[in-house]
């Protein structure tokens, strides 16, 4: 008993350590997902954290977890995670989703340990020291620990429990990889806690490894193996990654050396290419410069210089371009040898760019040559044009001088005929000069053509052309000036002739303006004024003509330089014409003033006579008018009088203007004043009399208008009041609600109208006081006003009484109408309720229930109407209505019938509710029974569908879904049972009908449980068998595919292809190692199936297993054979790469030697020797590399490599080329030494005899490789 207790306590302690370790491990990985767990058992129950952990470890995306906190949601989420593990070939034994959701400690820890094995430990694969065996998973981890701690004192790792208690093993692992972090020799085996603490802290602080364990978890009698493995595997992954980074660094260093070497050659190429391109562009710039010497001799010299460039300078640069192509080929060869991307020259420096630039240079060279040839032809043509220009220029200058002397003479004459004859002669001279202009233009065009062609003596040609043009311009200017002088003389003579004509006309006009006839009446005066206006228009027109002549004449007196006449003569003639014109204008103005005064006098007399006639006419009209007999006649007379007043005002203004005219005439004193004053006095007296008569007539019309208007308004008011009295005294109060309401609306409109006329009645007295005394004091008028006031009072009083009578009648009619409507509705509903029977069917019950819902809405509406009736009745009774008793009895009858209807409705609702509850319960029982039966049938149908792995997995998912559905159905069954018992107690008569369906449901539920249990048992056995068959089928399929891949006979033809095939082959080996565990699992599963009693074709299974064993052995053997072939091919291509590098180097050496030149000075030879010495040193170094390559080739031949023949050929070629370069270098050294002695001898000769011509031994004989002949 004590032993069992100790075992139980030890298990709990290990579980606690595992829980702590696994919790820290989970949190270390969940930190990448910003997630964390506190309690491992509880935080994994909902499936969210578990799903996130698997996503972090696998790098894949799992199905999205279901949101919800119910158990069914947690089961579904955990089931998704477990399904993912199964897809990853993780074997989960006895672990289900309900175990994790229920928080089972052991199974939760087991699940985490399984995840650690799959994603952390299973990937470990380590080869033993002799490379004969490859271990994986836990054994590989143990082997790795042993290999890393080998040689450390007191460290002997044999397991993952007691071998780690003292902490030395952890410190040894850290010290092996990071000796700078731990001083291992100071550690002692006895101080285990310190050792463990130091190792854990160092790993956490310097390596970034989470502290999964505490010292007390390891320093115990029986440490937990799983916890230590979990911690140790983190060390393995960290240090493996660190080692991979170190190896990668060495590879990068080697590649960098090669890159730097190629970079130097590339830089040299870039510099040479840039230099050559710069020369090409510079040369193109110079060649494309189209500036030529502007003479025939200069152009010939430029053509000679261009020919020298094409034959001397250009060939040297062409050879440099070829050297660049060789250098680029060398760079690309080195890059191909190292399997690197080919070098692409920088933009604009590739061979194609250089070729393009060279093409542009040759194009520019051709264009330059063509341009020089054309320029030479052009210069020859210009020389011929210059000779022709000189001949024509001399002829044109002689003709111009002669014509200039001709047009310099002035002899025009002194009268108009003489000047006109001189003008005709000048026009003939102008025609002759104009015809000569084309000849001048020919000379100018010749000069311009030479100018445009750039003739070298353009200045002389231009000066001669300008001289001819200046003489031509001078000639044309002289001709133009002579013509201008002629035109001036001709114009002046014409002006003098016009002045004579104007003076004669003015003398004739003066005779007409001195007449004394002013007219004897208004019409005659108007005729004289019209004729005088025509004379003035003629004078005005001639005045403008005279002014124009004077202005034109005076311009000739103000001219500067040439003057066609004496200015004083011109001024005298102008003054005489102006004086005559002024006298004529004074006579015309005087004649017009006399005629205007005569017209004003006769106009005044005519206007005064017209005014006097109009006044007499209006006096007669006013004397004959009366004041009218009624309102319309008075208004007509008033309008006519207003029209006459307007005419009077207009006439008054006209008369005032006429009076002012008479006063002005009197003020001038041009005519006699007696008749004018008498006429004015007579007209003024008659006008005043007319105004007095008009005012009296207007006052009489206004008084008559007021009286007749007051009488008409009073008559209209009396007639309206009589009509209103007849309306308000009517006995019609209506016969129902609608008619009474219509009468009340009309009566209210009448009352409003009566109230509006109150002001009109009250204003009658004020209007009476405003009448004229004759009309106001009449007895009939005063009596009429009193009658109107009495009639209005009677109408207002009767209108108030009728309003009250109509309101009472309307209230009674409305109450009776509402009562009748309510009683009709009550009769209808009473009949329906008494005839209605509560149905037993659910559909009919729902229909009836819907009708009762509509009835409730109707009852609410009717109840409001009944309340309104009660309120109206109470108001009528309180107001003492004559029909109060009749109204009260009608109210009581309506209320009693309403109460009866309400009672019937409540009874029917109670019966309907009971029937509805029972029917709903029976319906739910029927649905539940059908649902349970359907699920049972589904389970029974799925038992026959699991014949393969897909069927088993589908069956498992269906059962999981079925279990979740049953968890939801079970609480509903309990609720149905409670509801049925309550209904049976409430309805004892129908208890059997209510409880019997639930008994049937219980029976179906038990059958469903039994079918589900049987299906789970069958599923467990079938799933195991189907999983084994599926695993076997998958493994055999992979085995056949891998054998085909391993058995490939493809031989690589390049180093890159060899490395690629070798990497693919290594990857196949890793894949084979990964399937080794699957092979072992299949063997174990077959043994387990053989022990179980299952319907399995055992013999067939054994045959498949034998084929599996044979295929596995054959696969391993084929892989080894294929690896040997690929390794030999890879080594051969590495050898070829080295051979190619050496050949490229030898080719560069050969090129250097072939292009070497002998200098022509002592200093140059000395520098060449020094440079050749450096080259020889480089040659010796390359020779060592060649020897290494040859040794590698011999090694391949001794190992009998597949490509031994090709290796021998490459060695022979490389050896021969190396020896040939060595011989050439020695020969060039000897030649340089001999040439140095020669140059020293020549230098001594020059010092002894300075006068000797300096020799120029330009030796430029490149060495060519001729191994068969010594030079």
């Amino acid at each position: 008993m004590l032993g069992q207790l100790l075992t139980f306590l030890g298990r709990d302690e290990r579980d606690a350590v595992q829980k702590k370790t696994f919790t820290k491990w989970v949190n270390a990985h969940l930190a990448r997902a910003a997630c964390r767990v506190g309690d491992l058992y509880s935080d994994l129950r909902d499936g969210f954290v578990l799903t996130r952990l698997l996503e972090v470890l696998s790098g894949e995306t799992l199905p999205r977890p279901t949101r919800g906190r119910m158990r069914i949601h947690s089961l579904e989420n955990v089931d998704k995670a477990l399904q993912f593990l199964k897809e990853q070939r993780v074997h989960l034994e006895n672990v289900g989703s309900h175990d994790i959701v229920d928080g089972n400690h052991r199974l939760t820890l087991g699940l985490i340990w399984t995840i650690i094995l799959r994603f952390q430990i299973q990937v470990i694969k380590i080869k033993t020291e002799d490379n004969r065996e490859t271990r994986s998973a836990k054994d590989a981890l143990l082997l790795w620990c042993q290999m890393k701690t080998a040689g450390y004192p007191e460290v002997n790792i044999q397991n993952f429990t007691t071998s780690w208690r003292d902490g030395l093993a952890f410190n040894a692992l850290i010290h092996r990889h990071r000796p700078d972090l731990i001083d291992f020799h100071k550690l002692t085996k006895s101080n285990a806690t310190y050792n463990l603490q130091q190792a854990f802290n160092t790993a956490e602080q310097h390596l970034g490894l989470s502290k999964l364990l505490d010292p007390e978890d390891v320093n115990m009698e029986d440490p937990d193996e799983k916890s230590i493995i979990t911690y140790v595997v983190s060390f393995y992954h960290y240090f493996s990654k660190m080692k991979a980074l170190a190896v990668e660094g060495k590879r990068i260093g080697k590649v960098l050396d090669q890159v730097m070497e190629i970079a130097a050659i590339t830089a040299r190429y870039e510099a040479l290419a840039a230099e050559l391109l710069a020369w090409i562009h510079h040369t193109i710039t110079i060649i494309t410069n189209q500036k030529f010497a502007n003479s025939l001799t200069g152009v010939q010299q430029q053509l000679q210089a261009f020919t020298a460039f094409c034959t001397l300078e250009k060939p040297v640069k062409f050879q440099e371009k070829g050297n660049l192509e060789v250098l680029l080929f060398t760079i690309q060869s080195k890059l191909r040898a190292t399997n690197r991307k080919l070098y692409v020259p920088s933009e604009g420096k590739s061979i194609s760019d250089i070729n393009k630039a060279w093409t542009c240079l040759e194009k520019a060279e051709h264009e330059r040559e063509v341009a020089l040839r054309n320029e030479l032809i052009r210069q020859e043509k210009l020389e011929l044009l210059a000779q022709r220009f000189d001949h024509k220029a001399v002829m044109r200058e002689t003709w111009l001088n002669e014509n200039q002397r001709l047009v310099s003479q002035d002899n025009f004459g002194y009268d108009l005929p003489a000047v006109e004859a001189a003008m005709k002669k000048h026009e003939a001279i102008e025609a002759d000069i104009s015809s000569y202009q084309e000849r001048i233009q020919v000379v100018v065009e010749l000069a311009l053509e030479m100018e445009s062609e750039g003739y070298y003596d353009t200045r002389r040609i231009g000066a001669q052309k300008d001289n001819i043009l200046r003489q031509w311009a001078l000639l044309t200017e002289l001709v133009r000036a002579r013509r201008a002088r002629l035109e001036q003389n001709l114009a002046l003579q014409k002006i003098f002739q016009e002045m004579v004509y104007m003076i004669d006309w003015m003398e004739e006009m003066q005779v007409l303006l001195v007449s004394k006839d002013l007219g004897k009446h208004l019409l005659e005066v108007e005729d004289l004024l019209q004729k005088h206006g025509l004379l003035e228009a003629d004078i005005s027109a001639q005045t403008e003509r005279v002014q124009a002549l004077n202005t034109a004449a005076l311009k000739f007196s103000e001219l500067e330089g040439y003057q066609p006449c004496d200015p004083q003569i011109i001024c005298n003639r102008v003054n005489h014409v102006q004086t005559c014109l002024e006298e004529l204008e004074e006579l015309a103005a005087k004649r017009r003033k006399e005629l205007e005064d005569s017209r004003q006098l006769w106009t005044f007399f005519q206007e005064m006579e017209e005014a006097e006639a109009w006044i007499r006419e209006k006096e007669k009209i006013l004397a004959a008018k009366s004041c009218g007999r009624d309102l319309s006649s008075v208004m007509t007379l008033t309008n006519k009088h207003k029209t006459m007043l307007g005419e009077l005002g207009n006439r008054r203004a006209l008369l005032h203007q006429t009076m002012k005219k008479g006063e002005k005439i009197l003020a001038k004193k041009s005519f006699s004043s007696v008749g004018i004053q008498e006429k004015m006095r007579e007209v003024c007296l008659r006008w005043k009399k007319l105004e007095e008569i008009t005012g009296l007539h207007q006052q009489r019309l206004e008084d008559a208008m007021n009286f007749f208007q007051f009488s008409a308004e009073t008559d209209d008011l009396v007639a309206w009041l009589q009509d209103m009295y007849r309306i308000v005294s009517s006995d019609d109060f209506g016969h129902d609600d609608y008619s009474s309401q219509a009468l009340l609306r009309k009566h209210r409109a009448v009352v409003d109208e009566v109230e509006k006329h109150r002001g009109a009645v009250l204003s009658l007295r004020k209007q009476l006081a405003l009448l004229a005394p004759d009309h106001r004091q009449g007895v009939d008028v005063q009596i009429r006003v009193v009658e109107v006031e009495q009639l209005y009072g009677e109408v207002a009083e009767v209108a108030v009484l009728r309003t009250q009578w109509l309101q009472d009648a309307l209230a009674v009619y409305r109450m009776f109408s509402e009562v009748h409507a309510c009683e009709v509705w009550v009769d209808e509903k009473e009949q329906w309720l008494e005839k209605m029977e509560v149905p037993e069917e659910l559909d009919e019950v729902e229909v009836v229930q819907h009708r009762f819902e509509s009835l409730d809405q109707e009852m609410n509406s009717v109840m409001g109407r009944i309340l309104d009736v009660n309120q109206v009745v109470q108001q009528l009774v309180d107001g003492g209505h004559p029909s109060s008793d009749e109204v009260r009895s009608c109210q009581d009858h309506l209320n009693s019938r309403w109460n009866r209807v309400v009672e019937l409705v409540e009874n029917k609702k109670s019966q309907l509710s009971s029937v509805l509850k029972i029917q709903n319960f029976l319906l739910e029982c029927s649905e539940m029974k059908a649902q349970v039966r359907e699920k049972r049938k589904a389970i029974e149908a799925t038992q026959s569908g699991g014949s393969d792995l897909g069927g088993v997995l589908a069956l498992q998912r269906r059962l999981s879904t079925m279990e979740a559905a049953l968890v939801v159905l079970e609480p509903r069954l309990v609720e149905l049972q409670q509801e049925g018992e309550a209904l049976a107690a409430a309805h004892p008569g129908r208890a059997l009908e209510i409880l019997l369906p639930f008994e049937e449901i219980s029976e179906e539920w038990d059958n469903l449980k039994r079918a589900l249990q049987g299906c789970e048992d069958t599923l467990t056995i079938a799933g195991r068998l189907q999983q084994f068959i599926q695993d076997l089928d998958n493994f055999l399929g992979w085995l056949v595919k891998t054998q085909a891949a391993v058995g490939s006979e493809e031989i690589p033809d390049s180093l890159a292809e060899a490395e690629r095939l070798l990497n693919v082959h290594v990857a196949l080996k890793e894949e084979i190692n990964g399937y080794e565990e699957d092979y072992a699992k299949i063997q174990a599963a077959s043994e387990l199936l053989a022990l179980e009693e299952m319907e399995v074709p055992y013999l067939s299974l054994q045959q498949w297993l034998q084929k599996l064993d044979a295929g596995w052995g054959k696969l391993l053997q084929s892989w080894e054979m294929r690896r040997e072939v690929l390794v030999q091919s890879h080594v051969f291509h590495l050898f070829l790469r080295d051979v190619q590098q050496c050949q490229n180097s030898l080719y560069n050496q050969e090129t250097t030697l072939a292009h070497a030149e002998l200098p022509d000075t002592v200093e140059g030879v000395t520098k060449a020797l020094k440079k050749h010495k450096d080259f020889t040193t480089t040659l010796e170094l390359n020779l060592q590399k060649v020897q290494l390559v040859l040794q590698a080739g011999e090694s391949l031949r001794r190992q009998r490599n597949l490509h031994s023949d090709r290796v021998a050929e490459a060695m022979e070629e490389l050896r021969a080329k190396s020896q040939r370069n060595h011989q050439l270098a020695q020969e060039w050294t000897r030649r340089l030494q001999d040439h140095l002695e020669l140059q020293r001898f020549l230098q001594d000769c020059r010092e002894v005899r300075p006068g000797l011509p300096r020799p120029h031994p330009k030796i430029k004989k490149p060495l060519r490789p001729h191994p068969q002949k010594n030079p």
Side-chain angles (χ1 to χ4, degrees), residues 510-642:
Q510 286 178 359
V511 175
L512 298 175
L513 293 176
V514 295
S515 174
K516 297 298 182 180
D517 184 12
L518 299 178
K520 297 182 173 55
H521 50 80
L522 183 60
L523 292 176
E524 187 178 357
V525 173
E526 292 289 344
D527 183 60
L528 291 174
L529 278 172
Q530 187 175 2
K531 291 179 179 179
H532 185 74
L534 294 175
L535 290 176
E536 286 180 337
D538 290 342
I539 294 172
S540 177
Q542 295 301 328
T543 300
E544 294 176 359
R545 184 178 177 188
V546 170
Q547 294 295 334
L549 288 174
N550 291 340
T551 303
L554 290 175
K555 286 182 181 179
F556 288 99
S557 66
E558 296 172 358
L559 293 176
E560 294 180 1
Y562 177 77
Q563 292 182 346
C565 182
D566 187 3
Q568 187 62 39
I569 295 174
I570 297 172
C571 292
N572 293 336
R573 293 193 179 186
V574 169
N575 292 333
H576 177 65
V577 173
Q578 187 66 29
T579 302
C580 294
L581 179 62
E582 291 175 357
E583 292 176 356
L584 181 63
E585 289 177 348
E586 289 177 0
L587 289 175
K590 181 178 179 182
R591 173 68 176 172
R592 171 167 286 282
K593 184 176 181 302
E594 292 174 352
L595 291 174
E596 289 289 343
D597 292 341
S598 177
R599 184 174 63 180
Q600 288 179 0
L601 176 63
W602 293 111
T603 301
F604 169 75
F605 281 119
Q606 184 175 355
E607 289 178 355
M608 292 300 288
E609 289 176 357
E610 291 177 356
E612 189 175 3
W614 184 84
I615 292 171
R616 286 194 296 269
E617 180 184 358
K618 296 304 176 183
E619 287 178 350
K620 293 178 181 179
I621 293 172
L622 291 175
K625 283 186 178 181
S626 63
C627 294
R629 296 185 298 273
D630 53 14
L631 182 61
S632 59
S633 61
V634 172
M635 292 179 68
T636 301
L637 293 174
T638 302
N639 291 332
K640 291 181 179 180
H641 187 71
K642 289 181 180 179

Side-chain angles (χ1 to χ4, degrees), residues 14 38 147 266 328 471 498 599 694 698 714 817 847 1018 1256:
R14 281 196 301 275
M147 292 169 64
T266 305
L328 179 61
Q471 291 183 7
E498 289 290 331
R599 184 174 63 180
T694 303
Q698 183 176 0
T714 305
S817 177
V847 173
T1018 304
H1256 295 278

Side-chain angles (χ1 to χ4, degrees), residues 712-964:
E713 290 178 357
T714 305
D715 293 339
D716 293 340
L717 187 58
V718 169
W720 180 82
L721 288 173
Q722 290 174 354
D723 293 338
M724 290 298 104
Y725 185 82
R726 285 193 300 272
I727 292 172
V728 299
S729 61
S730 175
D731 295 336
D732 184 12
F733 299 106
H735 54 82
D736 55 10
D737 179 17
Y738 179 76
S739 60
S740 298
Q741 191 172 3
L743 289 173
L744 182 60
R745 284 197 300 271
K746 291 180 180 179
H747 182 70
R748 286 175 179 169
V750 171
V751 171
D752 294 340
E753 195 70 23
V754 170
E755 186 64 25
K756 289 180 182 178
H757 283 76
R758 180 183 297 275
V761 174
L762 296 177
S763 64
L764 289 176
R765 293 286 180 179
K766 295 179 181 179
Q767 295 178 9
L768 181 63
L770 294 176
L771 295 177
D774 297 339
H775 303 294
R776 182 176 63 247
Q777 296 175 0
V779 178
D780 295 337
V781 174
Q782 294 180 0
I783 293 174
R784 192 68 169 169
V785 171
V786 173
E787 289 178 353
V788 170
E789 291 175 349
Q790 291 177 354
L791 183 58
Y792 179 79
E794 294 175 0
V795 170
E797 183 178 356
V798 173
V800 172
L801 293 175
R802 180 168 175 78
T803 300
Q804 184 61 38
W805 296 335
L806 286 172
Q807 289 177 351
D808 293 343
L810 181 60
V812 172
Y813 287 137
R814 281 183 177 177
M815 188 272 295
F816 283 141
S817 177
E818 284 293 318
V819 170
H820 177 70
C822 292
E823 286 182 348
V824 170
W825 183 87
V826 169
D827 289 340
E828 180 185 352
K829 298 307 174 185
E830 280 182 350
Q831 294 176 6
W832 179 69
L833 290 172
E834 290 174 354
K835 293 179 181 179
M836 187 192 71
E837 295 182 0
V838 179
E840 295 296 332
E841 297 296 331
L842 181 60
D843 295 340
E844 296 178 357
V845 170
E846 290 180 351
V847 173
V848 174
Q849 188 180 15
H850 181 67
R851 290 181 180 177
F852 269 97
E853 291 176 357
S854 301
L855 180 62
D856 289 340
Q857 296 178 0
E858 293 180 12
M859 290 180 68
N860 291 333
S861 176
V862 172
M863 184 173 64
R865 297 174 67 179
I866 292 174
L867 292 176
D868 292 341
V869 169
N870 292 332
Q871 185 178 2
V872 171
V873 170
Q874 189 65 35
Q875 291 176 358
L876 291 174
V877 172
D878 294 342
H881 196 275
S883 304
S884 297
D885 296 336
E886 183 181 357
V887 171
R888 176 68 72 179
S889 71
C890 184
Q891 176 191 12
D892 295 339
H893 182 263
L894 178 61
N895 289 336
S896 63
R897 296 198 64 185
W898 171 255
N899 294 331
R900 173 174 172 75
V901 170
V902 171
E903 184 178 357
L904 286 172
V905 170
E906 293 299 329
N907 292 334
K908 294 296 182 181
K909 280 186 178 181
S910 176
Q911 296 175 14
L912 189 62
S913 177
S914 300
V915 173
L916 186 60
K917 287 181 180 179
I918 294 173
Q919 292 297 329
N920 285 334
F921 173 76
L922 294 176
L923 179 60
E924 289 185 6
C925 288
S926 177
E927 292 177 353
M928 180 62 72
K929 180 180 177 181
Q931 192 173 2
V932 172
R933 183 183 292 113
E934 180 183 356
K935 293 187 180 299
R936 178 176 60 80
K937 291 180 179 180
I939 291 173
E940 293 174 353
T942 55
Q943 291 181 354
S944 61
S947 59
D948 55 359
L949 179 59
V952 173
L953 294 176
L955 179 58
Q956 186 178 5
R957 288 194 293 271
R958 289 178 186 175
L959 290 179
S960 177
T961 306
M962 190 69 69
E963 289 177 354

Side-chain angles (χ1 to χ4, degrees), residues 24 273 324 327 705 873 1155:
K24 293 181 179 179
L324 265 180
L327 186 59
M705 174 69 75
V873 170
H1155 292 83

